[in-house]
Amino acid sequence: MAGDDGRRVANREVPRTAPVRPMGEIPVIAHVVWEDGAEEWRAPRAIRWTPTHVMVSWRDDPAASATERFEWLRANDVMRSVSWFVPPVKA
């Protein structure tokens, strides 16, 4: 699915069977790989999930509800927290 900016998520993957109703709105961190090869970490909400996949949702423009994007990702690309970020250097 392309968002408002027209970019497509390359690492999207729809599971064979998926829940049809939202299951919640859990804040998560998602690894997104775009078709042009760019990678980024997003802070979407998990709204549906299976043991192997998670549907996440975010807005390309936080002020515009029309830019809401829904993507299925593999579960290993979605997490609730991370501990591997490097903390800021103290001045």
Side-chain angles (χ1 to χ4, degrees):
M1 169 185 280
D4 185 58
D5 62 4
R7 297 189 305 168
R8 295 189 182 276
V9 175
N11 65 325
R12 71 187 300 268
E13 183 178 286
V14 179
R16 284 183 191 243
T17 59
V20 293
R21 295 180 184 220
M23 300 167 73
E25 288 199 22
I26 299 171
V28 293
I29 301 164
H31 177 230
V32 177
V33 180
W34 299 101
E35 281 188 333
D36 65 3
E39 296 183 51
E40 65 184 11
W41 292 91
R42 289 261 174 175
R45 295 168 286 118
I47 58 171
R48 299 179 195 172
W49 49 85
T50 72
T52 58
H53 293 80
V54 179
M55 178 183 265
V56 296
S57 173
W58 73 83
R59 289 183 183 177
D60 287 325
D61 176 352
S65 61
T67 67
E68 190 89 19
R69 182 189 290 261
F70 301 90
E71 301 286 356
W72 278 103
L73 299 173
R74 284 177 239 108
N76 62 350
D77 282 327
V78 181
M79 57 211 68
R80 293 188 70 178
S81 67
V82 295
S83 60
W84 43 261
F85 281 127
V86 177
V89 177
K90 293 183 180 178

